[in-house]
Amino acid sequence: MTVRAPFAFAASALLGLFALACSSSGAPPAAAPDGTPAPAASASPSSAAAAPGQPAVTPPRGQASGPEGHDADLAFAHVEALAREPRVAGTPAELRAVQYLEAQLASYGCEVERMPFTFENDPFRVGEVRLGGRAIEALTMAGSPGGTVEAPAVEVGLADDAGIAGRDLSGRIAVAERGVLNFGTKYENVAAAGAVGLIVVNNRPGPFSGNLTMAARFPVVSVAQEEGAAILEAARAGSVIAIQAPPTVGATQAYNVIARPPGSAGCSIIVGGHFDTVPGAPGANDNASGTANVLELARAFALGGPKPGLCFALFGAEESGLHGSKALVERLRAAGQLPRYMVNLDVTGIGRRVEVIGDTPAAARAIELANAAGIEAVPSQLPPNSGSDHMSFADAGVEVVFFTSGDFSTIHSPQDVAAAIDRGILDRVGDAAYLLIRDLLREVD
């Protein structure tokens, strides 16, 4: 969910995945974003990695299998797989999530296309520090160039005279602690000693962003205190580490992933939710929960063969300003293929009851169908200064319905973890969305 009021960083970014309901049967489990298997009933082999700007490798297609209707255990397995790391737009972690989602959608029988798009004024320039086989999220400081550097690391304390202690840092990546000196002075001190990179570890919990107030010659990044402990330990041992930093100017590239059943026409209904996060947030509730419910609904409706007119979209760069859903809406509008309905799922894993947002007949119908099935559902509205992907469609004249579980207490924080997700409400939101989609399909047939 996008929050427009200031928070730990700023607004966030969104990437769009867009899929049509496809056909049905089983396939091997897809890899989770960090490479471990996901315990899903209808997964497929993960797609091969593609670097940003390179053609995507189409995952093998399978067929959906598993229980009828929405299943809580299968949805929760997706939450666990996705929420192992933040998924900020324009980062390697985002791309790993894209590959996971593509593989899941392909496993239901969809033909998958990844559509790149770009957006300007990205508030989150997020890279990585690579330590052995581990990827640690890092924020590029303003004034730092982009690039990749790999070298032995050395700890330099506060990057002051005492920390550097007259050492020659030529060909080394300096690892400093935040505090006392400003970031520009830390950079100047290690650069004068010959360093080729600088990592600043936070001196309090969580990540932070910084400004050098000058143009640096090599990458300078910041990391959270929690992950930074391992980097400091590696620097004390002189281990080789790598910095991968995006530039702090220019456009950010993200992707729409489009999946169609063979011979599919346009979409009358699009069911979607964003999968990106803000920096430092694993994003289990915001919005691995909504993404998981979209995937599980795609599987459920793929049973028994394609459902013409029913499409599924998973959006990126939502946290930066709804960029993924905007890109998809612009493409559909230009082609004269806007859907009749858009069903959005965002923050669906913590709460007491199903909340339905939307001043539309379809939203009223969603509440009526859920309550008739014994699922408590009430009308609701977004918190002030916040938004979600349904707004891109509503602005284009599409009738929208937004399902949420209504508890935003952990979003955009390190506490937004899979362990906090309530499978009961995750399932009830998914069931309520299933009832509405099934009803809308009768109308658009």
Side-chain angles (χ1 to χ4, degrees):
M1 177 172 293
T2 295
V3 176
R4 297 189 180 121
F7 62 101
F9 303 94
S12 29
L14 163 75
L15 164 62
L17 298 180
F18 166 63
L20 298 174
C22 305
S23 50
S24 31
S25 163
D34 67 353
T36 58
S42 59
S44 74
S46 59
S47 56
Q54 299 299 313
V57 177
T58 303
R61 283 195 291 135
Q63 290 184 317
S65 63
E68 296 285 338
H70 178 275
D71 185 86
D73 291 337
L74 296 181
F76 185 70
H78 293 309
V79 174
E80 289 186 308
L82 289 165
R84 290 174 178 147
E85 60 180 345
R87 306 173 297 281
V88 181
T91 67
E94 177 210 52
L95 186 57
R96 289 190 285 272
V98 167
Q99 292 162 355
Y100 175 81
L101 296 168
E102 287 174 329
Q104 300 302 317
L105 294 167
S107 76
Y108 310 145
C110 301
E111 294 178 359
V112 180
E113 172 203 354
R114 187 185 306 177
M115 183 188 82
F117 67 91
T118 60
F119 62 96
E120 301 287 341
N121 302 316
D122 184 357
F124 304 130
R125 299 292 181 170
V126 182
E128 290 184 343
V129 172
R130 304 290 304 192
L131 178 58
R134 181 180 176 188
I136 296 171
E137 183 181 81
L139 300 182
T140 306
M141 289 200 183
S144 167
T148 299
V149 59
E150 184 173 4
V154 58
E155 184 189 12
V156 294
L158 294 169
D160 55 6
D161 289 342
I164 296 173
R167 289 175 290 176
D168 181 2
L169 305 183
S170 296
R172 302 294 187 97
I173 293 175
V175 180
E177 294 182 68
R178 183 183 183 185
V180 183
L181 303 180
N182 64 46
F183 302 126
T185 301
K186 291 178 188 287
Y187 160 73
E188 289 179 324
N189 289 346
V190 300
V196 296
L198 173 61
I199 301 167
V200 181
V201 177
N202 204 358
N203 58 0
R204 63 195 68 146
F208 71 98
S209 57
N211 191 335
L212 298 174
T213 68
M214 64 182 71
R217 300 194 308 270
F218 53 72
V220 180
V221 300
S222 63
V223 297
Q225 183 182 59
E226 296 84 347
E227 289 78 12
I231 297 173
L232 286 166
E233 184 178 346
R236 295 182 191 112
S239 301
V240 173
I241 61 178
I243 299 173
Q244 181 179 343
T248 54
V249 295
T252 296
Q253 179 169 284
Y255 305 90
N256 289 329
V257 177
I258 303 172
R260 303 177 180 88
S264 63
C267 304
S268 300
I269 305 166
I270 291 179
V271 181
H274 77 94
F275 69 88
D276 66 305
T277 71
V278 302
N285 198 26
D286 185 19
N287 184 37
S289 66
T291 298
N293 271 334
V294 172
L295 288 174
E296 175 52 12
L297 289 164
R299 180 204 65 81
F301 280 104
L303 294 171
K307 305 297 186 295
L310 177 60
C311 309
F312 295 87
L314 295 167
F315 304 110
E318 187 264 1
E319 298 289 3
S320 308
L322 314 183
H323 294 292
S325 53
K326 287 176 181 176
L328 179 55
V329 166
E330 288 168 7
R331 173 169 165 168
L332 294 173
R333 178 158 42 195
Q337 295 179 345
L338 285 170
R340 182 170 176 182
Y341 297 105
M342 191 274 174
V343 178
N344 187 45
L345 294 104
D346 195 355
V347 185
T348 66
I350 304 175
R352 295 187 301 106
R353 59 193 179 186
V354 177
E355 298 189 12
V356 180
I357 297 171
D359 185 18
T360 64
R365 194 187 319 181
I367 295 170
E368 180 182 346
L369 288 167
N371 285 319
I375 301 168
E376 183 183 6
V378 297
S380 188
Q381 59 186 5
L382 279 168
N385 301 312
S386 62
S388 190
D389 291 302
H390 66 293
M391 298 169 69
S392 300
F393 290 85
D395 288 346
V398 176
E399 188 170 347
V400 299
V401 183
F402 176 7
F403 288 95
T404 182
S405 54
D407 188 324
F408 310 114
S409 59
T410 64
I411 71 169
H412 297 179
S413 78
Q415 287 70 50
D416 190 5
V417 295
I421 297 298
D422 179 345
R423 294 191 196 205
I425 190 62
L426 184 73
D427 193 39
R428 292 195 295 277
V429 172
D431 286 344
Y434 182 90
L435 291 171
L436 175 66
I437 296 162
R438 187 176 63 181
D439 193 67
L440 293 177
L441 277 172
R442 297 190 186 105
E443 180 180 321
V444 301
D445 276 350

